[in-house]
């Protein structure tokens, strides 16, 4: 059904039923709903107040609609709602496919460990989706590539979301005032932003911007952790801004302990090339997808049981009475021969990500002791990028 629905320039509130909040973040609020005529579940992202004009959003949505590809989230049209107290016209948003399994961020936090065949397939599909976006004329940059913007369908296939919308995100400056993301930082998320964006006042994003973000996303998928999670928001973001341009990156120590996983060393080398300090030294997504295809091919024969394992875990968690109390769940090893291919990482200290959530680094809670002056040495959370 979804493939036959054409882009609509206006999808009014009256067309939607059973709207339920599923997440909120930098853009606004995200809902699950049922389309009254199409009879399919959809997702609605209502934008924050004064985010953009209808003309700006429509122009961006039309560009997004042209990017129809198997690993790209399907956009159905613009949402409009007359809302009380909304003086500058109707409340705006976008209507998209609903992804049953939420985001890659949710998966990484709830399932520990994600089986290696699935990890490599996820990384390969993200590279394929980004290669398609960059291959458009002109190239369509994502500018906020991270696990919470990689959504997963029932079969755990990738759908890239929120590409091109980062300019409309509300961001917070160090002084606590708000400005739109396209004024000087393009609405990206700090941990995933390339070093050149932190030091060059004339910085303009390029395809290499997304390649760097892909490297940090790769680190998260390989480790099951969030980058720089020892760092504390607001109080410590200045350390990231200082150390990343000097070549420091997420810690590699845990990855060094993992052995016997075919293709892992090649994936780590690709990751390091993608987060190179010099943007012109980073590979293209065509190069990346060629590499990830080779790596995933080594695990292709094991992908179906790996997917079924994770689906079973997610179904079990979905039937849990309380979402807030859900722990991360370990995936059992399918066979003794594969035991060396699985490595359990400690659960993240942060809570479970909400589906489709888009959060900025500065939005996360501060450290438990509440002391913004607590000292954390750079080497405790950062790792030299290496050659």
């Amino acid at each position: 059904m979804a493939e036959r629905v054409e882009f609509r320039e206006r999808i009014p509130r009256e067309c939607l039923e059973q709207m339920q909040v599923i997440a909120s973040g930098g853009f606004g609020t995200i809902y699950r709903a049922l389309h009254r005529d199409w009879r399919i579940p959809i997702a609605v992202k209502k934008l924050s107040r004064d985010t953009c004009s209808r003309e700006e959003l429509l122009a961006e949505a039309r560009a997004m609609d042209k990017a129809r590809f198997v690993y790209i989230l399907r956009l159905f049209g613009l949402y409009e709602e007359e809302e009380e107290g909304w003086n500058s016209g109707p409340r705006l948003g976008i209507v998209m496919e609903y992804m049953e399994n939420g985001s890659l961020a949710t998966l990484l936090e709830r399932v520990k460990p994600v089986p290696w065949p699935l990890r490599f397939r996820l990384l390969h599909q993200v590279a394929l989706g980004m290669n398609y976006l960059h291959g458009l004329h002109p190239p369509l940059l994502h500018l906020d590539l991270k696990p919470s913007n990689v959504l997963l369908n029932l079969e755990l296939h990738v759908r890239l979301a929120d590409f091109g919308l980062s300019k409309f995100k509300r961001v917070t400056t160090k002084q606590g005032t708000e400005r739109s993301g396209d004024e000087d930082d393009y609405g990206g998320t700090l941990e995933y932003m390339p070093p050149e964006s932190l030091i060059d006042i004339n910085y303009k994003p390029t395809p290499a911007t997304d390649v760097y973000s892909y490297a940090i996303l790769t680190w998260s998928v390989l480790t099951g952790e969030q980058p720089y999670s020892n760092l504390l928001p607001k109080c410590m973001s200045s350390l990231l801004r200082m150390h990343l341009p000097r070549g420091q990156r997420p810690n590699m120590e845990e990855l060094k302990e993992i052995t016997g996983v075919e293709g892992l060393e090649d994936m780590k080398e690709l990751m390091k090339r993608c987060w190179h300090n010099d943007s012109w030294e980073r590979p293209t997504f065509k190069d990346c997808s060629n590499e990830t295809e080779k790596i995933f091919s080594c695990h292709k024969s094991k992908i179906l049981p790996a997917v079924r394992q994770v689906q079973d875990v997610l179904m079990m968690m979905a039937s849990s009475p309380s979402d807030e109390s859900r722990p991360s769940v370990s995936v059992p090893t399918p066979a003794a021969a594969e035991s060396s291919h699985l490595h359990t990482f400690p659960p993240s200290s942060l809570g479970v990500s909400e589906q489709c959530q888009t959060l900025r680094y500065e939005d996360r809670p501060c450290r438990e002791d509440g002391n913004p002056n607590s000292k954390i040495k750079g080497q405790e959370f950062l790792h030299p990028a290496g050659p």
Side-chain angles (χ1 to χ4, degrees):
M1 174 64 188
E3 292 302 321
R4 295 196 297 270
V5 177
E6 294 299 321
F7 177 81
R8 307 292 178 91
E9 293 191 2
R10 182 176 183 271
I11 300 178
R13 173 66 179 84
E14 307 85 72
C15 290
L16 307 180
E17 303 172 351
Q18 305 173 24
M19 289 190 65
Q20 299 177 328
V21 176
I22 58 175
S24 61
F27 287 100
T29 308
I30 304 167
Y31 299 79
R32 183 191 187 278
L34 182 72
H35 196 283
R36 184 187 62 197
D37 300 323
W38 304 339
R39 310 312 298 171
I40 59 171
I42 50 90
V44 180
K45 188 183 292 258
K46 290 187 186 181
L47 302 186
S48 302
R49 289 177 178 268
D50 304 321
T51 299
C52 62
S53 68
R54 188 182 190 282
E55 291 72 24
E56 290 173 321
L57 183 59
L58 181 59
E60 199 65 39
R62 282 173 173 156
M64 293 168 62
D65 181 56
K66 292 178 181 178
R68 298 190 185 187
F69 189 60
V70 62
Y71 302 120
I72 304 295
L73 189 70
R74 182 74 161 85
L75 181 67
F76 293 138
L78 253 61
Y79 173 83
E80 288 190 7
E81 176 182 358
E82 298 296 335
E83 194 170 271
E84 187 176 348
W86 198 267
N87 298 323
S88 56
R91 180 79 177 268
L92 298 175
I94 54 176
V95 178
M96 309 161 289
E97 283 183 282
Y98 176 73
M99 291 289 104
E100 297 85 349
N101 278 320
S103 71
L104 176 56
T106 301
L107 179 72
L108 294 175
E109 290 177 359
R110 290 184 174 176
V111 180
K112 302 223 178 241
V114 175
W116 286 107
L118 181 55
R119 289 193 232 189
F120 290 128
R121 189 179 79 174
L122 291 167
L123 291 172
H124 179 48
Q125 291 183 351
V126 171
L128 289 173
M130 291 304 305
N131 181 51
Y132 180 81
L133 291 179
H134 284 191
L136 295 173
H137 301 285
L140 185 52
L141 306 184
H142 193 296
L143 304 184
D144 200 16
L145 181 61
K146 58 184 178 180
S148 59
N149 284 337
V150 176
L151 306 184
L152 305 172
N153 70 3
L154 273 174
E155 293 76 32
L156 299 172
H157 289 293
V158 160
R159 298 291 185 272
L160 298 181
D162 283 358
F163 53 92
L165 288 182
S166 63
K167 63 177 71 176
F168 301 136
K169 191 190 297 184
R170 304 302 296 180
V171 302
T172 305
T173 67
K174 292 180 181 179
Q175 291 75 29
T177 58
E178 285 192 337
R179 64 174 185 262
S180 67
D182 58 344
E183 286 183 1
D184 61 277
D185 70 355
Y186 298 89
T189 302
L190 181 57
E191 310 96 293
Y192 296 84
M193 292 173 66
E196 61 268 20
S197 69
L198 306 178
I199 58 175
D200 185 357
I201 60 174
N202 297 313
Y203 164 75
K204 297 292 184 183
T206 68
T209 300
D210 287 337
V211 174
Y212 179 91
S213 300
Y214 176 71
I216 306 301
L217 180 147
T218 297
W219 183 91
S220 287
V221 171
L222 296 182
T223 63
E225 297 296 319
Q226 297 193 39
Y228 318 113
S229 58
N230 305 18
L231 275 181
L232 307 184
K234 289 188 178 178
C235 18
M236 304 305 293
S237 64
S238 59
L239 281 178
L240 277 178
R241 296 178 182 275
M242 178 174 63
H243 286 286
L244 293 184
R246 297 176 179 177
Q248 294 188 304
R249 300 292 183 265
N251 198 308
M252 296 287 289
E253 291 305 313
E254 286 182 309
L255 287 176
K256 291 179 180 178
E257 299 174 5
I258 305 173
T259 59
V261 180
E262 191 171 3
L264 178 57
E265 292 303 314
D266 292 333
M267 196 71 230
K268 286 161 59 177
E269 287 305 311
L270 176 62
M271 175 179 70
K272 292 175 183 178
R273 289 167 54 206
C274 289
W275 71 28
H276 199 288
N277 237 38
D278 298 327
S279 60
W280 59 88
E281 293 285 352
R282 297 170 201 156
T284 66
F285 272 111
K286 185 174 183 180
D287 297 328
C288 292
S289 56
N290 287 336
E291 291 293 322
T292 56
E293 182 177 13
K294 295 174 187 175
I295 295 168
F296 173 55
S297 67
C298 302
H299 299 264
K300 215 166 187 177
S301 62
K302 298 176 183 176
I303 188 62
L304 288 181
V307 168
R308 288 176 186 141
Q309 280 184 311
V310 174
Q311 285 175 322
D312 289 344
V313 169
L314 294 176
M315 288 180 63
M316 178 182 68
M317 298 183 79
S319 62
S320 174
S322 174
D323 185 81
E324 293 297 322
S325 61
R326 290 176 187 166
S328 60
V329 176
S330 296
V331 175
T333 305
E338 203 168 285
S339 61
S340 64
H341 288 197
L342 296 174
H343 181 86
T344 303
F345 295 96
S348 171
S349 60
L350 299 176
V352 174
S353 288
E354 294 176 310
Q355 290 183 342
C356 311
Q357 194 168 19
T358 304
L359 293 176
R360 285 190 57 79
Y361 182 83
E362 290 84 354
D363 291 336
R364 298 177 191 151
C366 199
R367 66 183 306 139
E368 291 181 4
D369 63 13
N371 180 8
N373 298 317
S374 297
K375 293 181 180 180
I376 297 181
K377 295 181 181 179
Q379 61 267 29
E380 292 177 358
F381 58 86
L382 293 165
H383 189 275

